[in-house]
Amino acid sequence: MLSAMFDVNQGLSIGSMLVLMLCAAACGLLIAITAMLTGQCSRGFAASLVTLPVVVQAVILMVNGNVGTGVAVLGAFSLVRFRSVPGSSRDITLIFLAMGTGLAASMAYTGYALLLTAVVCALLLALHFIHPFSRPLLLRVTIPEDLDYTGVFDDLFAAHTRRWRLEGGQDHRYGQPL
């Protein structure tokens, strides 16, 4: 399953290339669905995630062992990364995943491309829904000193938070000053 589907060094038929492109597109589609499920994702970014593995796969097939062309392609990929607007770490991870699956598909390792995509997407989904690295959020409300704010926000905090603490005065929830 994880061996090469075709010998890409001997040349590929149109049918073989279409199979590799469909594999890369399927991986890209799975990556785009993961991006949409784990956060805000624009239509353009989702479309880019679907097409990027196919484009990378096609470019690497054209390089096909030529070291000079490979170095030029690597330089082009780095320019694309540094000339674009900086994204979140999730976006960068998804872009590298799309490029990695395109590289695997270009070498006819379709099983590896699909396995890589499935494992990383499952990991991203699990980390998104489990929240193992979440930390408490800080809400800062500034109120003039001459205003009596005792208990003004208690009902809101009780309804919309699991736990809260008032700093800079009397902590009414726990009944002790900070």
Side-chain angles (χ1 to χ4, degrees), residues 76-105:
F77 282 151
S78 66
L79 283 176
V80 168
R81 168 62 195 111
F82 293 113
R83 296 284 300 169
S84 61
V85 176
S88 68
S89 59
R90 180 185 69 87
D91 294 347
I92 293 168
T93 301
L94 291 168
I95 289 169
F96 281 133
L97 175 60
M99 290 176 64
T101 58
L103 287 169

Side-chain angles (χ1 to χ4, degrees), residues 7-28:
D7 185 9
V8 294
N9 295 325
Q10 300 299 324
L12 291 173
S13 67
I14 298 288
S16 300
M17 267 186 50
L18 286 175
V19 167
L20 297 178
M21 284 183 178
L22 287 174
C23 174
C27 291

Side-chain angles (χ1 to χ4, degrees), residues 52-176:
L52 184 61
V54 178
V55 172
V56 169
Q57 179 259 338
V59 168
I60 297 302
L61 276 179
M62 285 185 266
V63 170
N64 197 14
N66 188 336
V67 175
T69 308
V71 170
V73 169
L74 180 65
F77 282 151
S78 66
L79 283 176
V80 168
R81 168 62 195 111
F82 293 113
R83 296 284 300 169
S84 61
V85 176
S88 68
S89 59
R90 180 185 69 87
D91 294 347
I92 293 168
T93 301
L94 291 168
I95 289 169
F96 281 133
L97 175 60
M99 290 176 64
T101 58
L103 287 169
S106 71
M107 302 306 293
Y109 289 110
T110 54
Y112 181 71
L114 291 169
L115 182 65
L116 171 69
T117 303
V119 168
V120 174
C121 287
L123 183 63
L124 287 171
L125 286 169
L127 290 173
H128 176 73
F129 290 112
I130 295 173
H131 305 291
F133 305 112
S134 65
R135 59 182 187 171
L137 298 175
L138 174 69
L139 172 66
R140 188 174 305 243
V141 179
T142 305
I143 300 174
E145 290 181 22
D146 59 347
L147 186 66
D148 183 22
Y149 59 89
T150 307
V152 171
F153 299 108
D154 289 351
D155 55 341
L156 287 171
F157 291 156
H160 299 289
T161 61
R162 285 187 215 132
R163 196 177 93 212
W164 58 274
R165 182 176 70 191
L166 177 66
E167 293 183 5
Q170 180 73 21
D171 187 343
H172 298 286
R173 177 140 187 196
Y174 299 110
Q176 50 189 314

Side-chain angles (χ1 to χ4, degrees), residues 1-51:
M1 177 179 170
L2 296 180
S3 60
M5 189 179 232
F6 308 106
D7 185 9
V8 294
N9 295 325
Q10 300 299 324
L12 291 173
S13 67
I14 298 288
S16 300
M17 267 186 50
L18 286 175
V19 167
L20 297 178
M21 284 183 178
L22 287 174
C23 174
C27 291
L29 185 62
L30 185 60
I31 294 167
I33 290 169
T34 302
M36 289 186 287
L37 290 174
T38 59
Q40 292 185 350
C41 180
S42 69
R43 273 185 164 171
F45 187 64
S48 296
L49 289 174
V50 173
T51 56

